[in-house]
Amino acid sequence: MADAAGRLSALAEEVLGTPFPVRIRAWDGSESGPPPGPSPHTGDTRDAAGAADAVDAAATADASPKSPTADASPKPPTLVVRNRRAVRRLLWRPGELGLARGWVAGDLDIDGDLYAALDLLSGVLWDRGEESAPRRGPLSALNAARDPRLRSAARDLLAIAGPWPPPKPPVEEVRARRGPLHTLRRDRAAISHHYDVGNDFYALVLGPSMVYSCAYWPAPDAASRPAPDADLAEAQRAKLDLVCRKLGLEPGQRLLDVGCGWGSMVLHAAREYGVQAVGITLSQEQAEYARKRVADAGLTDRVEIRVQDYRRVSDGPYDAISSIGMAEHVGAVRYGEYAAQLYGLLRPGGRLLNHQIARPPQRHEDAYRVDEFIDRYVFPDGELAPVGRTVSQLEEAGFEVRDLESLREHYGLTLRAWVGNLERNWSQALRHVSPGRARVWRLYMAASALAFERNRIGVNQVLAVRTPEPGTSGLPLRTRTWN
């Protein structure tokens, strides 16, 4: 097949209605699109007779990625289509999920700056606005079948892609889920998919802090901003301390950390503030790791780690509750129950620090759909809500919301640091997880970094109080100052 890249570029432009923003390199060695960068490529250049379709995707997927931060002048990105199987994936599952499956399987890759490629592709694949979002269901399929332009594109793709069968999804994809959302059993399975990947793998990505939420980076000078490869561990320590200070922790108080991860928050609070801390998680692997850290720190008399759902906690009252990066798993149908449960576990005057990723509100909230790649590969059943809705539901549960701080830019820096850790430790990471799993984490973290930087999503710390009836919140008149 001559000039597969040119044909793919032309088809993409026909379907998208705009030139494809990145260069394409196909399995036959052909290239098409924006001018290539100065560096020679090292991609797969098998001939068009279909030999490339037999390439073992796992063998190509474990090649160490080059961090764009390591190159002072990164070349323009190129989408590498390693074989016709990648085209079949797009033919049988057009859009984001087909691309994700190709990426995870190693059929698709990026030569050059991954961030630049995702930034360019987002403009035509993801950021086309609410009104342009792909519609699902039989009616949309029927309308697509009636569109002569799309029918022609499908025929051309079929000619390029080759024969049946459609490729199976990568093994890293979550299979079909049954039953109502956010039951105890289904939530436990969703948490296990994401967090029971292996503590050794997470240690490579997160670094020694073992904190899986955005760090709190120091204020830069007027002419710069913190580098993403600055001291991540110190920035994570600063975030944990920020939470403790917002909660007003004091020796002897009881702290509940909902979604405690590997125990970093409860360890910091017990060691630095002298509290009695309980951390709960649904991940058995996290709990085992956290318990060992507690024992090694000599804090077993002050810190307890439980494998427990927040709906099953009944040993209040607590003086303070932290929920850091956990509420995204709760879901819209359960959020009122979540807020009411935490309210009931606090003593009058107790404080809640809810640290949660947020999305912008939509004109028609019923149209909100979870990102397919994230839902199938990263956070099954995870949901994002607008911060206004989160505040409203906390207030509906009885809380007085006293402070809201956005840490959006901090999360972009944190994610870039995690991506850098993964890229530097790629070969070692593949001793703990499959190449496909490592590729999932690299893609989702890089794409998420851009989403935070471009204000497509945000993250907020909401400080709320179970203010007693007389109205005395216990907070100072001014909780923080501005530079």
Side-chain angles (χ1 to χ4, degrees):
M1 178 182 298
D3 192 23
R7 296 178 66 184
L8 290 172
S9 291
L11 277 170
E13 181 171 351
E14 176 70 19
V15 171
L16 296 171
T18 185
F20 198 63
V22 300
R23 192 166 182 80
I24 295 177
R25 181 185 310 136
W27 59 90
D28 62 351
S30 62
E31 296 194 20
S32 180
S39 302
H41 68 75
T42 56
D44 190 329
T45 56
R46 307 238 177 168
D47 62 38
D53 208 25
V55 172
D56 181 2
T60 62
D62 64 3
S64 296
K66 181 183 291 185
S67 170
T69 59
D71 189 347
S73 56
K75 58 186 177 181
T78 297
L79 176 65
V80 181
V81 185
R82 295 192 182 278
N83 47 57
R84 294 189 300 167
R85 183 169 53 246
V87 185
R88 287 207 297 275
R89 293 190 188 278
L90 283 169
L91 180 64
W92 298 110
R93 194 59 190 253
E96 181 181 348
L97 187 57
L99 285 169
R101 287 172 172 172
W103 172 270
V104 175
D107 301 332
L108 294 172
D109 206 347
I110 295 294
D111 184 10
D113 189 330
L114 176 60
Y115 293 104
L118 293 174
D119 213 12
L120 290 167
L121 289 170
S122 68
V124 296
L125 296 177
W126 297 291
D127 296 341
R128 298 170 70 83
E130 183 180 350
E131 298 302 324
S132 301
R135 295 178 174 85
R136 298 172 174 84
L139 184 59
S140 62
L142 180 61
N143 290 335
R146 291 172 175 170
D147 188 329
R149 179 176 56 87
L150 294 179
R151 287 204 310 269
S152 175
R155 285 194 297 269
D156 288 345
L157 273 176
L158 187 60
I160 297 172
W164 284 61
K168 293 181 179 179
V171 296
E172 292 80 8
E173 182 172 315
V174 173
R175 298 301 184 254
R177 288 151 283 172
R178 298 175 182 173
L181 278 170
H182 302 296
T183 60
L184 293 171
R185 180 176 181 179
R186 183 158 166 169
D187 279 355
R188 187 165 53 247
I191 293 297
S192 178
H193 172 85
H194 187 83
Y195 293 100
D196 291 339
V197 173
N199 295 328
D200 292 335
F201 173 74
Y202 273 108
L204 291 174
V205 175
L206 303 180
S209 70
M210 290 301 285
V211 178
Y212 195 23
S213 54
C214 81
Y216 193 60
W217 298 89
D221 58 45
S224 64
R225 67 174 188 166
D229 57 351
D231 192 342
L232 174 63
E234 181 55 36
Q236 289 291 14
R237 185 187 184 283
K239 190 274 298 297
L240 296 176
D241 207 64
L242 176 68
V243 172
C244 291
R245 286 185 281 113
K246 287 183 176 182
L247 288 172
L249 297 183
E250 296 178 356
Q253 288 186 333
R254 296 188 75 209
L255 168 70
L256 173 65
D257 187 32
V258 181
C260 68
W262 293 271
S264 298
M265 175 62 194
V266 288
L267 281 166
H268 183 85
R271 184 171 50 240
E272 303 298 330
Y273 290 83
V275 302
Q276 296 290 127
V278 174
I280 61 171
T281 175
L282 293 179
S283 167
Q284 188 66 47
E285 288 191 19
Q286 284 185 334
E288 292 172 1
Y289 190 98
R291 285 167 183 157
K292 184 178 186 306
R293 294 179 75 191
V294 170
D296 291 345
L299 291 171
T300 53
D301 60 331
R302 281 192 275 162
V303 177
E304 179 187 1
I305 304 295
R306 305 174 185 167
V307 178
Q308 187 176 35
D309 192 282
Y310 71 92
R311 289 163 281 193
R312 292 292 185 259
V313 179
S314 59
D315 61 340
Y318 287 88
D319 298 287
I321 298 177
S322 54
S323 178
I324 307 172
M326 176 272 176
E328 298 87 346
H329 298 287
V330 170
V333 298
R334 296 287 185 183
Y335 205 92
E337 179 183 357
Y338 161 82
Q341 171 72 353
L342 300 192
Y343 183 85
L345 287 170
L346 276 174
R347 64 164 176 81
R351 302 181 192 179
L352 165 69
L353 192 287
N354 189 78
H355 176 120
Q356 182 176 340
I357 298 172
R359 62 172 173 84
Q362 294 190 357
R363 186 183 311 167
H364 305 292
E365 280 294 319
D366 290 344
Y368 168 66
R369 296 291 183 273
V370 178
D371 177 284
E372 283 191 298
F373 167 63
I374 296 296
D375 188 51
R376 297 290 188 98
Y377 287 96
V378 186
F379 293 108
D381 296 338
E383 296 177 50
L384 301 183
V387 65
R389 183 60 184 140
T390 295
V391 168
S392 293
Q393 291 187 286
L394 291 174
E395 290 179 328
E396 288 163 8
F399 283 106
E400 179 189 8
V401 172
R402 294 299 302 253
D403 186 79
L404 189 154
E405 182 176 6
S406 172
L407 303 181
R408 178 173 63 80
E409 292 88 349
H410 292 264
Y411 221 154
L413 289 165
T414 305
L415 284 155
R416 283 183 180 260
W418 290 343
V419 172
N421 285 344
L422 177 57
E423 290 174 339
R424 284 188 294 273
N425 295 289
W426 190 260
S427 297
Q428 192 174 351
L430 295 187
R431 298 175 195 157
H432 305 300
V433 298
S434 67
R437 181 66 62 197
R439 290 172 66 84
V440 166
W441 254 243
R442 183 177 178 233
L443 177 61
Y444 114 75
M445 291 190 301
S448 296
L450 287 170
F452 282 105
E453 291 166 0
R454 302 294 185 262
N455 194 26
R456 296 173 193 137
I457 53 177
V459 61
N460 305 281
Q461 288 191 349
V462 179
L463 178 64
V465 182
R466 180 173 174 170
T467 303
E469 198 63 38
T472 305
S473 70
L475 272 75
L477 286 176
R478 297 182 66 180
T479 55
R480 55 189 166 104
T481 58
W482 294 95
N483 292 332

